[in-house]
Amino acid sequence: MGRERVDVVVIGSGAGGAPAALSLARAGARVVVLEKGPFYGIGDFDHDEIRVCRRDFWVPWAEDEPHTVRSAAAQLARPSREGWTSACVGGATVHMSGFFYRLHDCDFSLRRVLGEVPGATLADWPITLDELLPYYDVMESELGVSGDGASNPLERRSRPYPLPPLAAHPASRLVDEAAARRGWHAFATPRAVLSAAYGARPPCNLCAFCGDYGCENASKSSTLASLLPAALATERCVIRSGCMALRLEADAQDRVRAVEYEDAAGVRRVIEARVVVLAASAVESARLLLLSQSGRHPQGLGNANGLVGKHLSFSTFGKVSAVFERSALSAALGVSRGELGHRGFLQRSIQDDYWSPSLGALGKGGTYNFMVAHPNVINAATKVASTTGAGMWGAPLLGQIRAYHEAQTWLEAEIFSEYFPHDGCYVDLDPRVRDRFGLAVARITASVHPLSASVNATMVQRLRDFFGSFEPAPISLWTMAQSGTTMHLQHGTCRFGTNAEDTVLDPSCRMHGIEGLYVLDGSFMPSSGGVPATATIIANSFRVSELLAARMRRGELN
């Protein structure tokens, strides 16, 4: 088994790994990034819904590399593709929609503010929003984020977004007017999508195929389009695609020393390093740590307290669709019917229910994100067929699909709300199921805390009421999801904190008791927040990488 030595190995090239690779390469370190998936170029991206969304373009087949999923410990977990975020260079940022909200102050102190919540395992963050704010700025500048900070009085920031907001669909007026009547604050959704040229990258062409697709225009600010090219340009960073990390090695002094991996040709290799940055996703990072057993670490690396994989959280999900007759909408808005199709972005969000007494005793809610329905044809057919409650096929289905694309405008809103961590939501190793590498797969036990489900259900009803207040009113409203789980938004399997007895990482995201090992995906987060976590993961990775680079310059890591 061949061995080599570098300064830093980064496992994963998405939101957590790419900022570290760039920052440490700029600081002079020799960096190797191991990515288990392929290295796509913009020529690989198109709008083929079957090839891209319904096969193994982004995540592995369940037959090859499953997770297993169950809702309670007493159940037998079933093989599934759920819980994979992505497997390609750039990670899930390549096919994200790019909603880049910041956390709020309340997200950092839920345990202090709410006290003991029955059945929940809340914990406060060991850092404050003030400590993270400068790195949100760095993240937005490095990637290229568009938005209008002045339009959201509930977000804390000290300077404008690097780019103005993307152009909004004409129907955004409906959200603005209804929000004003209710006393809410509709604001331009911040996006990791370019509204104007940024460096060598062109502005978005408003095709609306962001979510679930790669950007053939390089206008989406994925790490593939932004941070990783900059890392490669330092000539100190190498990206190795098709490389599966198998286990981490630590020496007798509990210093991480090497990563064993299988390369794209199926050859087992070992790469030694002074520092290992683990950023494979909250589920897969916990799995790799649990697989890295040894005589000194029989429960897995860094798992002496049994907390690796615990306190897993996702995002509690709700979704409502409002259907408008396009001619009536055209007359009300004074625009042509052609301008009211499913191209472009609605570009509106509301956070007045991020913390609100209207949500019940706890009050912790989240974000309403408004969109024009996705133009996917198969997805649209599935959606309209489901609205009858009994299915639809043949001529009626074809007629409804035609109406969806030609006579109607579907506006949608997703809800991202707090997912309280609890003892019934965690990752461990499945004792029965192995992947194609012969390794035990991640077993995900996932259920929604009753209070999280209740708040999400309340937000869904408030969203239905809000849509119902639009002028003109929708011709129909459909609750597409309520109190669900968004499993690609993952947090918490390696919580950070000051106490090594009840957390896995210290405030710099270094593993307690293991020198040189940092975990920089969403694993570190004690709580989910009421927004998608991608922007926060990237900002925190820049924060930690600055601390790590300083340690390396001082000669503290050898």
Side-chain angles (χ1 to χ4, degrees):
M1 199 181 301
R3 300 178 76 97
E4 64 177 309
R5 182 167 178 79
V6 296
D7 295 318
V8 180
V9 173
V10 178
I11 302 172
S13 57
L22 173 59
S23 298
L24 297 174
R26 281 176 173 169
R30 294 167 300 144
V31 180
V32 170
V33 179
L34 300 179
E35 170 57 58
K36 76 181 302 295
F39 200 147
Y40 292 129
I42 60 174
D44 296 306
F45 301 140
D46 56 34
H47 298 169
D48 184 333
E49 187 176 355
I50 293 176
R51 183 177 77 93
V52 174
C53 301
R54 299 177 182 271
R55 292 184 176 162
D56 63 339
F57 194 80
W58 299 122
V59 302
W61 293 118
E63 293 81 1
D64 293 333
E65 298 178 60
H67 291 144
T68 60
V69 179
R70 60 186 180 176
S71 58
Q75 297 177 351
L76 184 67
R78 58 179 176 82
S80 173
R81 298 171 77 186
E82 289 185 281
W84 281 106
T85 60
S86 193
C88 68
V89 173
T93 69
V94 182
H95 58 87
M96 67 179 177
S97 295
F99 305 126
F100 264 40
Y101 311 96
R102 299 179 174 199
L103 291 177
H104 294 201
D105 284 282
C106 61
D107 293 311
F108 293 76
S109 56
L110 283 185
R111 179 65 176 81
R112 178 176 59 81
V113 173
L114 296 178
E116 186 73 31
V117 175
T121 55
L122 299 182
D124 292 337
W125 291 44
I127 64 172
T128 65
L129 177 57
D130 284 316
E131 292 173 79
L132 199 56
L133 284 175
Y135 301 98
Y136 277 124
D137 290 341
V138 171
M139 172 272 298
E140 291 166 357
S141 178
E142 291 282 2
L143 271 75
V145 177
S146 56
D148 176 11
S151 67
N152 182 10
L154 302 175
E155 179 182 78
R156 281 226 282 139
R157 59 184 308 109
S158 59
R159 65 185 187 188
Y161 286 95
L163 293 165
L166 290 161
H169 190 280
S172 63
R173 262 181 50 197
L174 302 182
V175 179
D176 293 341
E177 292 167 358
R181 289 192 294 269
R182 186 167 291 217
W184 284 359
H185 304 84
F187 61 92
T189 302
R191 300 291 295 273
V193 180
L194 304 184
S195 59
Y198 201 70
R201 294 161 54 210
C204 175
N205 62 8
L206 302 181
C207 73
F209 281 84
C210 281
D212 296 330
Y213 290 85
C215 182
E216 70 273 22
N217 206 38
S219 303
K220 188 195 300 184
S221 295
S222 65
T223 63
L224 177 67
S226 57
L227 305 186
L228 294 176
L232 292 174
T234 66
E235 298 185 349
R236 287 185 165 271
C237 177
V238 174
I239 300 172
R240 295 180 184 166
S241 59
C243 292
M244 173 65 177
L246 304 175
R247 65 185 301 275
L248 308 179
E249 294 181 5
D251 63 18
Q253 288 73 45
D254 289 334
R255 295 174 298 187
V256 70
R257 281 309 189 200
V259 180
E260 181 184 348
Y261 70 99
E262 184 172 306
D263 69 15
V267 177
R268 297 282 175 112
R269 300 185 181 277
V270 174
I271 183 168
E272 298 178 347
R274 293 194 288 159
V275 174
V276 173
V277 171
L278 180 53
S281 81
V283 168
E284 282 294 301
S285 289
R287 177 198 180 201
L288 182 57
L289 292 169
L290 294 172
L291 286 170
S292 300
Q293 299 170 359
S294 65
R296 290 183 59 81
H297 304 281
Q299 299 182 81
L301 193 58
N303 194 34
N305 59 12
L307 293 178
V308 171
K310 300 298 192 293
H311 308 302
L312 172 65
S313 66
F314 300 104
S315 178
T316 316
F317 183 68
K319 185 175 183 178
V320 175
S321 293
V323 184
F324 295 85
E325 201 282 316
R326 195 171 294 182
S327 293
L329 204 57
S330 171
L333 296 175
V335 298
S336 70
R337 284 167 45 89
E339 294 177 76
L340 295 173
H342 295 151
R343 184 181 174 91
F345 306 112
L346 196 66
Q347 276 300 106
R348 289 296 182 270
S349 298
I350 291 175
Q351 291 187 326
D352 291 84
D353 276 348
Y354 206 93
W355 194 291
S356 170
S358 301
L359 301 176
L362 297 181
K364 181 60 172 71
T367 301
Y368 301 110
N369 174 40
F370 295 84
M371 304 168 290
V372 182
H374 201 291
N376 266 354
V377 176
I378 300 172
N379 179 66
T382 303
K383 180 163 46 185
V384 300
S386 70
T387 58
T388 66
M392 185 187 300
W393 53 87
L397 177 58
L398 289 174
Q400 185 56 49
I401 293 171
R402 184 173 293 111
Y404 176 91
H405 287 285
E406 297 176 2
Q408 298 172 349
T409 296
W410 285 53
L411 305 184
E412 299 180 337
E414 294 179 340
I415 298 167
F416 302 101
S417 61
E418 194 74 38
Y419 191 106
F420 286 158
H422 58 97
D423 287 336
C425 196
Y426 58 91
V427 175
D428 62 2
L429 298 179
D430 195 294
R432 302 180 309 108
V433 182
R434 300 289 185 270
D435 66 9
R436 66 186 180 91
F437 300 98
L439 302 174
V441 306
R443 178 171 61 179
I444 302 168
T445 304
S447 60
V448 181
H449 188 282
L451 290 174
S452 295
S454 175
V455 167
N456 192 264
T458 300
M459 292 184 73
V460 165
Q461 185 55 54
R462 285 169 66 75
L463 181 55
R464 288 180 61 93
D465 294 343
F466 182 69
F467 269 134
S469 72
F470 281 18
E471 298 174 1
I475 58 176
S476 58
L477 280 172
W478 304 102
T479 297
M480 312 303 289
Q482 178 175 292
S483 305
T485 298
T486 307
M487 292 189 73
H488 57 271
L489 300 178
Q490 305 174 0
H491 337 83
T493 55
C494 298
R495 273 184 176 175
F496 74 160
T498 56
N499 188 344
E501 293 182 1
D502 57 21
T503 60
V504 178
L505 310 173
D506 73 11
S508 69
C509 292
R510 180 177 62 89
M511 182 161 282
H512 290 304
I514 306 294
E515 183 58 81
L517 178 56
Y518 293 75
V519 184
L520 294 187
D521 50 36
S523 304
F524 79 96
M525 296 174 63
S527 55
S528 68
V531 294
T534 309
T536 298
I537 293 170
I538 297 173
N540 181 68
S541 185
F542 277 119
R543 178 188 73 91
V544 172
S545 298
E546 183 177 282
L547 298 173
L548 182 51
R551 290 196 69 199
M552 295 182 74
R553 285 193 296 269
R554 292 194 298 265
E556 297 175 4
L557 295 164
N558 297 303

